[in-house]
Amino acid sequence: MGFTPRGFLGDKPAKAPPLFPFLLTFLLVGSRGDSNAMDNVSTERLAEESHRQDSANLLIFITLLTLTILTIWLFKHRRFRFLHETGLAMIYGVLVGVILRFGVHVPQNMSDVILGCAVNNSPATLLVNVSGRFYEYTLKGEVGRGKGHQVQDDEMLRKVTFDPEVFFNILLPPIIFHAGYSLKRRHFFRNIGSILAYAFVGTVISCFVIGLIMYGFVSFMKAVGQLGGDFFFTDCLFFGAIVSATDPVTVLAIFNELKVDVDLYALLFGESVLNDAVAIVLSSSIVAYQPAGDNSHSFEAMAMLKSFGVFLGVFSGSFALGVATGFMTALVTKFTKLRDFPLLETALFFLMSWSTFLLAEACGFTGVVAVLFCGITQAHYTFNNLSPDSQDRTKQLFELLNFLAENFIFSYMGLTLFSFQSHVFNPLFIFGAFLAVFLGRAANIYPLSFLLNLGRKNKIGSKFQHVMMFAGLRGAMTFALSIRDTATYARQMMFSTTLLIVFFTVWICGGGTTPMLSFMSIPVGVDSDQDSPQNSAVLDGSQRRDTKHESAWPFRIWYNFDHNYLKPLLTHSGPPLTATLPTCCGPLARCLTSPQAYENEGRLFDDDSDSILNDATVSSMYADVTVSTDASGRTVNRSSGTRGLSDDCVDHDLALAEHEVAIRGTRLVLPVDDPVEPPTTVTLPSPPSPPGSEPRRQRL
């Protein structure tokens, strides 16, 4: 397009001045600069509005937690046990979800433009060319038919819907770690055989029972035309795996408050801790099931064996990674002076523990399993190396994080009942799911209890079995596994049904725990530091020896190895490695033994010995000399070798019911049945000094 200026009449047309092209360019550039400035202002305004909305959304959850805490205090003050804080958090979440869904409407943004585009699939990101400038748009999800006018409201609901990875990477680690870190090891290990049976075998049984029942219901729904999408047998097994993860947090809180029988508490708590790990690995194995051929959902023996191999590989790898991280933390806290700086020590402990979860996930393992066994390892070893301030801080820190994360998740459960955009509620599927969960739990508890009682002297009574059946609540892990993938019709139906199952079990089963205990006449007010009434002192000596021998014999070899080698290597407690390792390893033993180990030698510093022994049978099994009084009042000296413990010695110490007083370098053994006599004073040499102060270690 040309431009020729018109002159006056009678004048010749004048040429365009040479300054005009530059002026035109300046105007064009200026207009584009103004446009860019307006775009920047608009972008900054949108970013500021988004920031305010995100802050308001987080404020909603903080307000929910605040209301939950205040109401919890009121319930505890009034001794109201029919509703746990988790159920209360869910109620508050449901109320807020109703308000956000039906009571709050966001005005339409007139700048929104709906354009048509022929695309075969939904790309994750979209580049749009607007007047030569490219803009990137991110896929947020499908908008339902007829909901074009509700885009702004849906956007507001999406704002309060978190990325599922937030649950796995931020909220789940402190919950799982706290479960392992706060484990009462004495009662846990005393029932370890039954706990492992319920957690591993029982979870697998429950998974397949639920999967088979749901496959029958799904086949019937398909036959009557009630199924709106694909739902395969592997989907049914996946649903069985995720709803087999129990989380009886409500029941356990009431048990702890009422001081219910310690063995019942240990069975429920141990099962819930381990079966979360089993359920997540089992679900991953089911997802990894890929038979050869075109039909990826047909049965194939090799594919099933491969999935089983994936289960074993992922579980064992996660276990090893969690234990290795715990060992590393124990060594760092042992051979450094971090205990002189409690804040740095606590920070390192926290970061190492949390990084276990992320490291396992990054390596293709399961972070839940890794962080669980990391917590158990940290409690068994690293805790002994921490300063008193750090011990208190770590306990309180993870207890606080567990409380906040758990209540946050349950609040979010109530909120997602109305904020989630792709719910699929099918009455027939929901009914089948409730029936399958009930039958799967029954198939887990009753047959395994019958088989376990064949080998247990301390039987799991029918009342205990009924309470365990009733206490199979579903919670945070089930919700996190179901919300992680909601892309398909089958997964959306699973998620919606899982929410209802969690609501029912927490509100109905959790609220009915106290009446259930009264109806079953379960003893309450039991001291957790004492044995249950079935193992109390009313039993004669031979029965008590048999019970203790029964509970300890599978772990004699492990306890011997742990006590003589791992504890001295990773902590300052236990016998020095210079006394337990062979002579040829003397330089290495002196290098790995800390000065505190020599100072603590002879003291009963092994707080974790009650993981196998009862309080009345704790002994410093690495003492040089044992001075005991027999029935006639004579003093008997019994030497205990420090090179290692024989099975006979371990059996004797584990099965003997006697009061033992630990003294530096010696223990004085007083049988219970002897008449009370004035104590005998025994003068003993002081414990040996570290290498270098004396040429040789003297022994009696």
Side-chain angles (χ1 to χ4, degrees), residues 122-172:
S122 300
T125 58
L126 191 66
L127 293 178
V128 179
N129 186 354
V130 180
S131 301
R133 303 181 64 184
F134 288 90
Y135 297 88
E136 181 181 0
Y137 290 85
T138 304
L139 177 67
K140 292 187 176 180
E142 182 183 1
V143 179
R145 296 179 182 274
K147 290 188 176 181
H149 62 285
Q150 298 180 2
V151 172
Q152 293 298 116
D153 292 343
D154 291 346
E155 175 66 19
M156 185 266 299
L157 293 176
R158 289 193 191 98
K159 284 286 188 178
V160 296
T161 303
F162 287 95
D163 188 341
E165 295 303 317
V166 172
F167 291 94
F168 267 81
N169 296 331
I170 297 179
L171 297 179
L172 272 186

Side-chain angles (χ1 to χ4, degrees), residues 55-282:
S55 301
N57 294 332
L58 289 177
L59 181 62
I60 291 174
F61 289 101
I62 298 298
T63 305
L64 286 176
L65 292 177
T66 304
L67 291 175
T68 302
I69 291 173
L70 293 177
T71 313
I72 290 170
W73 168 81
L74 181 62
F75 282 8
K76 290 184 179 295
H77 181 68
R78 299 293 182 182
R79 299 186 181 276
F80 184 79
R81 298 191 181 97
F82 294 99
L83 186 63
H84 189 251
E85 58 254 28
T86 54
L88 187 65
M90 292 171 67
I91 292 177
Y92 283 140
V94 169
L95 294 177
V96 173
V98 171
I99 294 174
L100 293 179
R101 184 62 180 269
F102 303 107
V104 178
H105 296 284
V106 180
Q108 291 291 320
N109 189 348
M110 299 306 296
S111 62
D112 290 341
V113 179
I114 300 178
L115 300 176
C117 181
V119 181
N120 294 329
N121 53 10
S122 300
T125 58
L126 191 66
L127 293 178
V128 179
N129 186 354
V130 180
S131 301
R133 303 181 64 184
F134 288 90
Y135 297 88
E136 181 181 0
Y137 290 85
T138 304
L139 177 67
K140 292 187 176 180
E142 182 183 1
V143 179
R145 296 179 182 274
K147 290 188 176 181
H149 62 285
Q150 298 180 2
V151 172
Q152 293 298 116
D153 292 343
D154 291 346
E155 175 66 19
M156 185 266 299
L157 293 176
R158 289 193 191 98
K159 284 286 188 178
V160 296
T161 303
F162 287 95
D163 188 341
E165 295 303 317
V166 172
F167 291 94
F168 267 81
N169 296 331
I170 297 179
L171 297 179
L172 272 186
I175 296 176
I176 303 300
F177 182 87
H178 179 262
Y181 195 57
S182 62
L183 188 68
K184 294 182 179 179
R185 290 177 296 282
R186 172 156 64 99
H187 305 299
F188 178 84
F189 284 105
R190 190 167 61 187
N191 298 278
I192 185 64
S194 302
I195 291 173
L196 291 177
Y198 288 127
F200 283 86
V201 181
T203 303
V204 174
I205 292 175
S206 175
C207 170
F208 279 90
V209 169
I210 295 175
L212 290 172
I213 294 176
M214 293 310 302
Y215 186 68
F217 271 89
V218 168
S219 300
F220 177 75
M221 292 166 57
K222 186 180 298 184
V224 298
Q226 293 294 321
L227 199 62
D230 293 331
F231 211 111
F232 302 101
F233 181 65
T234 52
D235 295 323
C236 296
L237 286 180
F238 180 83
F239 179 73
I242 64 175
V243 297
S244 295
T246 61
D247 185 19
V249 57
T250 303
V251 177
L252 292 176
I254 296 175
F255 280 10
N256 190 41
E257 185 177 353
L258 296 178
K259 297 186 181 299
V260 180
D261 184 274
V262 291
D263 286 331
L264 177 60
Y265 184 93
L267 288 173
L268 268 177
F269 181 76
E271 181 205 3
S272 66
V273 166
L274 292 180
N275 86 335
D276 283 351
V278 175
I280 189 172
V281 179
L282 189 60

Side-chain angles (χ1 to χ4, degrees), residues 25-37:
T25 303
F26 176 77
L27 293 176
L28 293 176
V29 172
S31 61
R32 180 171 295 182
D34 294 339
S35 177
N36 291 339

Side-chain angles (χ1 to χ4, degrees), residues 580-601:
T580 58
L581 289 177
T583 307
C584 60
C585 301
L588 179 63
R590 286 191 294 270
C591 179
L592 296 177
T593 303
S594 63
Q596 291 89 334
Y598 296 98
E599 297 175 4
N600 296 326
E601 184 185 11

Side-chain angles (χ1 to χ4, degrees), residues 384 562-569 571-577 579-580 593-594 596-607 622-623:
N384 295 326
D562 177 63
H563 185 82
N564 288 329
Y565 301 104
L566 289 183
K567 271 300 187 95
L569 174 65
T571 69
H572 302 297
S573 61
L577 289 173
T580 58
T593 303
S594 63
Q596 291 89 334
Y598 296 98
E599 297 175 4
N600 296 326
E601 184 185 11
R603 295 180 184 176
L604 187 58
F605 196 71
D606 189 0
D607 296 334
Y622 51 86

Side-chain angles (χ1 to χ4, degrees), residues 628-645:
S628 62
T629 59
D630 57 13
S632 61
R634 294 177 300 176
T635 301
V636 179
N637 294 339
R638 188 170 71 241
S639 298
S640 57
T642 55
R643 294 292 179 186
L645 297 175

Side-chain angles (χ1 to χ4, degrees), residues 532-553:
S532 62
Q534 303 178 40
N535 289 331
S536 62
V538 298
L539 300 176
D540 57 26
S542 61
Q543 288 177 316
R544 294 196 309 186
R545 284 194 297 270
D546 291 341
T547 301
K548 277 175 269 188
H549 181 77
E550 174 196 12
S551 63
W553 75 263

